[in-house]
Amino acid sequence: MSSWICGINGIYDCFMRKINHRMATLLENREAYNPELISTVCEDILSKIKVAGNCVLYDEHGCIDNCFIADLPQKIEKLGDNTGLEMWHNEVRLSAYSGFSIRCIIPFVEMFKQRLNTIHPRTYCFIVYVTDVRTIDFRFHVYRKDEGMWLVGDIEEENNPLLYDLDVE
């Protein structure tokens, strides 16, 4: 399942959100959600974002310092590319926030995308997946044409409910 929304008059700001069948089933009966909770979760995550080199990284434990930045080329080489480094660092367990549930996923992605782009404007790929025990995990990376997407292939092959969201200019 996917949706594409493109601009008119030759301007193609494309929005792509793909949702596998398992995620679509979970999202079918979305109930009301608490906007304050979603705002609090967004602000908590955003307060821990740092830019290191060409990467936008979630620094949950405050480990990104001058020493980390000095070793950035080696870290990128070890993980393959900038996207690999971001995917290593940019994982957030959303279900660890009290009250965060399936119904919060879409509003969270929308709010986080808008707020992140306000402070660090770039093209991002956002990924949300739900484990078999209903753990909700969120990852994100800067979309780089030369590195592509972290997710590849048919998302229907993924065993867990999965959503990814990408704005392409």
Side-chain angles (χ1 to χ4, degrees), residues 98-143:
S98 180
F100 197 99
S101 65
I102 301 294
R103 67 180 174 258
C104 300
I105 291 173
I106 300 287
F108 166 78
V109 169
E110 292 297 322
M111 186 179 290
F112 188 79
K113 176 180 12 179
Q114 185 271 327
R115 291 185 181 182
L116 181 60
N117 272 302
T118 299
I119 57 175
H120 300 294
R122 292 173 177 70
T123 301
Y124 293 96
C125 179
F126 303 99
I127 303 162
V128 179
Y129 53 98
V130 181
T131 68
D132 55 348
V133 293
R134 301 288 182 166
T135 300
I136 304 168
D137 289 325
F138 171 64
R139 289 183 174 213
F140 64 97
H141 67 83
V142 173
Y143 174 72

Side-chain angles (χ1 to χ4, degrees), residues 6 13 16 25 38 57 79 96 101 118 121 125 131 141 164:
C6 293
D13 289 333
M16 177 178 59
T25 301
I38 295 188
L57 301 171
L79 294 169
S101 65
T118 299
C125 179
T131 68
H141 67 83
Y164 77 79

